[in-house]
């Protein structure tokens, strides 16, 4: 599969099963800087209030599925992938 840009990566990434999503990391599609893999997620449940204040809603459910999927979490643990929040990422960015 030839992927041209970030939007195309996300389209193919979210439209697939966990094993295929893991391949996206292993192939380096989310490599950012100095071998840092970065995928920004906004996991959440949808409710009335969120739908009123954001147009970025449906993908939040996909993000939630991603960061709670046992197969993905197991792969992250084995590969020392750390999930961070925006708050904790501020400290990490000083290292990068």
């Amino acid at each position: 599969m030839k992927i041209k840009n970030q939007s195309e990566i996300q389209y193919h990434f979210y439209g697939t099963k966990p094993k295929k999503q893991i391949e996206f990391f292993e192939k380096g599609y989310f490599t950012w800087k100095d071998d840092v893999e970065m995928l920004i997620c906004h996991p959440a449940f949808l409710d009335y209030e969120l739908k009123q204040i954001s147009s970025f809603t449906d993908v939040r459910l996909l993000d939630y599925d991603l960061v709670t999927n046992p197969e993905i979490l197991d792969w992250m643990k084995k590969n020392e992938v750390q999930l961070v929040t925006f708050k904790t990422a501020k400290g990490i960015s000083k290292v990068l």
Side-chain angles (χ1 to χ4, degrees):
M1 162 184 1
K2 286 195 173 196
I3 297 179
K4 300 172 188 159
N5 58 50
Q6 190 67 26
S7 294
E8 206 171 317
I9 289 171
Q10 290 177 325
Y11 171 79
H12 289 288
F13 178 76
Y14 284 116
T16 191
K17 304 274 185 206
K19 284 186 195 264
K20 194 72 171 169
Q21 289 175 322
I22 289 168
E23 287 180 23
F24 274 74
F25 285 100
E26 291 173 339
K27 290 181 179 181
Y29 286 119
F30 297 111
T31 301
W32 178 59
K33 182 178 173 183
D34 299 326
D35 294 324
V36 172
E37 300 288 331
M38 183 169 76
L39 173 66
I40 299 171
C41 297
H42 297 88
F45 287 111
L46 296 184
D47 61 13
Y48 179 78
E49 182 180 356
L50 182 58
K51 286 189 114 14
Q52 297 303 308
I53 63 172
S54 176
S55 61
F56 193 75
T57 54
D58 293 340
V59 75
R60 290 174 190 260
L61 293 172
L62 298 171
D63 285 344
Y64 181 82
D65 286 345
L66 174 72
V67 299
T68 60
N69 182 290
E71 191 173 348
I72 300 282
L73 291 172
D74 183 55
W75 180 86
M76 287 180 174
K77 184 176 181 180
K78 287 178 183 172
N79 290 276
E80 299 178 1
V81 174
Q82 182 181 4
L83 294 174
V84 296
T85 65
F86 181 75
K87 190 175 190 178
T88 58
K90 286 182 181 180
I92 293 171
S93 66
K94 291 176 185 170
V95 175
L96 302 175

